[in-house]
């Protein structure tokens, strides 16, 4: 498998070296102290930290996209609060100028030889590698879904992609009543709260525009519970009851029949038990998986995720490999909030590895999920591994709050662009110690 995947091809002209520290325009082979695969939330944050610490030219970031999105705001794009353009920056403007950006993608990795081969035909030799390649969307696993998303009239959308999240707003805005159906797939996903957040925002909009009594809102989720942390699940059960939102558990989208405006679901207890429901708007959270170079590499476990120690973020077999973000096996909620904390632990542990020591810092599983429940309302879920709540503010954060809504809308994006991507934000622990010192 490796040999087939790793066939070296000539350097492609389409793959561009955005090289801030080297002058050659197309280098076939390169080497570096630290290679960062993926320049999204996790990759950009870690590259910024090490570009400051290591000599110029020591860090290479391998990232194919010229756009960087602040994805947590896609939910509010879907609700018409902001635009997709407001969530975007040029990758060049956020990646650290002291690192070398290669605009290309990893095609395979050989951890024994410490080499990555790229789609553009390069070989990159590394001493250490951090893998932060995120998740890809498997639209084609649901027959009819891709075609329905691409059809402007289909009334099928997803907030998960910058390509389609404005379509969600168009569908909500033009909804005149009927069946509004929201889904959650049977794979791990980024931001597990987002599939229901957009259902709450749709409910809120239908209420504001006085059509709610003509709408039936249904949330079909693979999960057996509404949310993985009991404290917030209890609060959300009250929200769905008050708002008259139907919730079907263990119910997964199998097919979209856009021509008939029908969606087919299966039940996870009995996959042959199918239910066909009509929709007037369908919001889909697509199935997700790790990029192919990772799932087919010896670095992944049998689920295709990067197999790291959940505390140290170091690979279980290869000590010069670390990972963070959505593509790893760590059982936390896959959020940017988690990455803020992970980046600090990874930085300290990788520095220790680089100087011949052991990785001693431990990630506690911190993640946060601001669950917008209406325009101007939000439940700010914060928790550690095993669903243990760890709240920053000295109030009960399971209650809907206006402050939390504006934190999600304004404060978190500000912290992201101005501090986190520059390697200077590690989550709210410092603030918590001051304003909520008795938090357990
Ligand atoms: C709708 C939505 C709502 C969300 N809401 C929240 C929220 O409220 N709060 C919160 O904290 N988080 C939220 N998140 C989750 C958060 O955005 C992600 O968890 C985070 O961005 C993941 O970062 P990452 O670095 O792991 O992956 P990404 O930021 O996705 O970056 C992965 C990068 O790897 C690159 N890549 C892929 N394949 C390759 C390859 N072969 N070679 C090289 N590079 C490659 C990609 O181009 C990409 O740039 C939300 C996400 C979405 C989509």
């Amino acid at each position: 498998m490796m040999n087939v995947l790793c066939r070296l091809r000539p350097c492609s002209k389409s793959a561009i070296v955005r090289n801030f520290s080297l002058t050659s325009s197309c280098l076939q082979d390169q080497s570096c102290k630290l290679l960062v695969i993926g320049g999204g939330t996790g990759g950009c944050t870690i590259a910024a930290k090490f570009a400051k610490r290591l000599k110029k030219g020591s860090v290479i970031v391998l990232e194919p996209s010229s756009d960087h999105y602040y994805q947590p705001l896609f939910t509010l794009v879907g609700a018409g609060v902001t635009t997709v353009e407001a969530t975007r920056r040029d990758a060049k403007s956020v990646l650290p100028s002291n690192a070398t950006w290669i605009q290309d993608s990893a095609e395979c990795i050989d951890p024994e030889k410490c080499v990555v081969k790229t789609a553009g035909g390069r070989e990159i030799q590394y001493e250490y590698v951090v893998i932060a390649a995120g998740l890809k969307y498997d639209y084609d696993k649901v027959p009819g879904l891709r075609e329905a998303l691409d059809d402007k009239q289909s009334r099928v959308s997803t907030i998960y992609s910058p390509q389609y999240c404005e379509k969600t707003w168009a569908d909500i805005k033009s909804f005149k009543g009927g069946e509004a159906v929201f889904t959650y797939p049977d794979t791990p996903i980024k931001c597990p709260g987002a599939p229901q957040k957009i259902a709450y925002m749709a409910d809120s909009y239908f209420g504001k525009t006085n059509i709610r009594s003509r709408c039936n809102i249904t949330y079909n989720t693979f999960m057996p519970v509404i949310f993985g942390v009991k404290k917030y699940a209890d609060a959300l059960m009250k929200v769905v009851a008050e708002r008259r939102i139907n919730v079907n558990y263990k119910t997964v989208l199998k097919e979209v029949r856009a021509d008939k405006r029908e969606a087919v679901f299966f039940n996870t207890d009995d996959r042959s038990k199918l239910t066909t429901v009509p929709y007037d708007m369908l919001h889909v959270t697509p199935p997700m998986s790790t990029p192919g170079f990772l799932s087919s590499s010896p670095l992944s476990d049998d689920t295709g995720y990067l197999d790291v120690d959940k505390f140290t973020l170091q690979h279980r077999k290869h000590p010069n490999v670390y990972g963070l973000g959505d593509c790893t096996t760590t059982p936390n909620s896959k959020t940017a909030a988690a990455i803020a904390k992970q980046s600090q632990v990874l930085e300290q542990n990788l520095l220790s590895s680089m100087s011949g020591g052991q990785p001693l810092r431990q990630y506690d599983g911190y993640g946060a999920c601001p669950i917008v429940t209406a325009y101007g309302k939000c439940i700010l879920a914060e928790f550690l591994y095993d669903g243990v709540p760890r709240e920053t503010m000295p109030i009960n954060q399971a209650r809907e709050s206006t402050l939390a809504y504006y934190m999600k809308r304004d404060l978190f994006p500000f912290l992201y662009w101005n501090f986190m991507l520059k390697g200077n934000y590690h989550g709210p622990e410092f603030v918590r110690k001051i304003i909520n010192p008795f938090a357990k």
Side-chain angles (χ1 to χ4, degrees), residues 66-355:
S66 47
D67 296 314
H68 185 114
Y69 289 95
Y70 178 63
Q71 302 170 45
L73 268 187
F74 290 171
T75 311
L76 295 184
V77 174
V81 175
T82 186
T83 61
V84 75
E85 191 47 33
T87 68
R88 196 199 70 81
R89 299 270 197 285
D90 289 337
K92 187 178 170 184
S93 72
V94 295
L95 289 169
S97 57
N98 222 12
T100 302
W101 170 25
I102 297 183
Q103 192 176 6
D104 198 351
S105 50
E107 199 167 68
C108 65
I109 181 164
D110 183 339
E112 301 296 336
K113 294 188 178 143
C114 300
V115 68
V116 167
K117 294 184 182 179
T118 73
R122 292 183 178 76
E123 276 197 309
I124 306 170
Q125 192 83 40
Y126 60 80
E127 263 180 69
Y128 297 89
V129 64
V130 172
I131 301 183
L135 293 176
K136 64 179 171 62
Y137 301 133
D138 296 325
Y139 298 121
D140 294 330
K141 277 196 181 160
V142 179
L145 175 57
R146 190 184 284 277
E147 297 78 359
L149 288 170
D150 286 336
D151 174 357
K152 286 202 168 60
Q153 310 303 323
S154 68
R155 308 195 63 82
V156 178
S157 70
T158 179
I159 54 167
Y160 272 84
S161 156
Q163 205 183 336
Y164 303 117
C165 56
E166 287 188 327
K167 195 179 180 205
T168 303
W169 172 230
D171 287 352
I172 290 177
K173 215 170 30 169
S174 59
F175 194 73
K176 297 284 177 270
E179 300 291 332
V181 180
F182 297 80
T183 75
Y184 185 120
D186 59 345
T187 64
I189 61 168
K190 45 177 126 183
C191 192
Q196 63 187 285
K197 295 180 199 179
I198 191 63
Y200 301 139
M201 296 308 281
D203 164 72
S204 183
Y205 186 78
F206 301 155
K208 273 195 337 179
T209 50
N210 293 323
I211 61 159
R212 182 62 181 91
S213 59
R214 302 203 297 270
C215 310
N216 197 27
I217 302 179
T218 303
Y219 175 51
N220 285 344
T221 172
F222 157 73
M223 304 260 288
V225 289
I226 194 147
F227 196 73
V229 179
K230 187 172 181 313
K231 173 171 182 170
Y232 306 109
D234 291 347
L236 292 165
M237 287 310 289
K238 287 187 190 143
V239 171
V240 292
E242 273 165 23
R243 316 270 160 91
R244 289 172 293 112
I245 294 172
N246 313 305
V247 182
N248 297 315
Y249 300 104
K250 301 182 178 183
T251 304
V252 179
L253 182 66
K254 181 180 159 63
E255 186 184 345
V256 178
R257 296 177 185 153
D259 53 337
K260 297 184 192 151
R261 294 226 168 132
E262 283 177 358
V264 183
F265 291 87
F266 68 82
N267 187 283
T268 57
D269 286 337
D270 176 2
R271 288 178 163 249
S272 65
K273 206 173 133 198
L274 302 181
T275 318
T276 302
V277 301
Y279 63 82
D280 298 289
M281 112 156 234
L282 177 65
H283 178 271
V284 179
T285 301
M288 301 179 199
S289 60
T290 54
F293 87 89
L294 175 57
S295 56
S296 63
S297 85
L299 293 172
S300 64
D301 73 352
D302 54 10
T303 64
Y305 284 74
L306 182 70
D307 194 10
V308 295
D309 180 276
K310 73 174 193 173
F311 298 116
T312 64
L313 308 177
Q314 186 182 44
H315 192 266
R316 285 180 196 280
K317 294 200 190 97
H318 296 275
N320 64 337
V321 178
Y322 279 83
L324 82 169
D326 296 349
C327 70
T328 78
T329 48
T330 58
N332 57 284
S333 184
K334 297 188 182 301
T335 56
I339 293 171
K341 185 73 191 285
Q342 290 176 349
S343 68
Q344 187 183 32
V345 171
L346 196 156
E347 178 188 26
Q348 294 306 317
N349 286 345
L350 179 51
L351 282 171
S352 177
S353 291
M354 284 176 170
S355 55

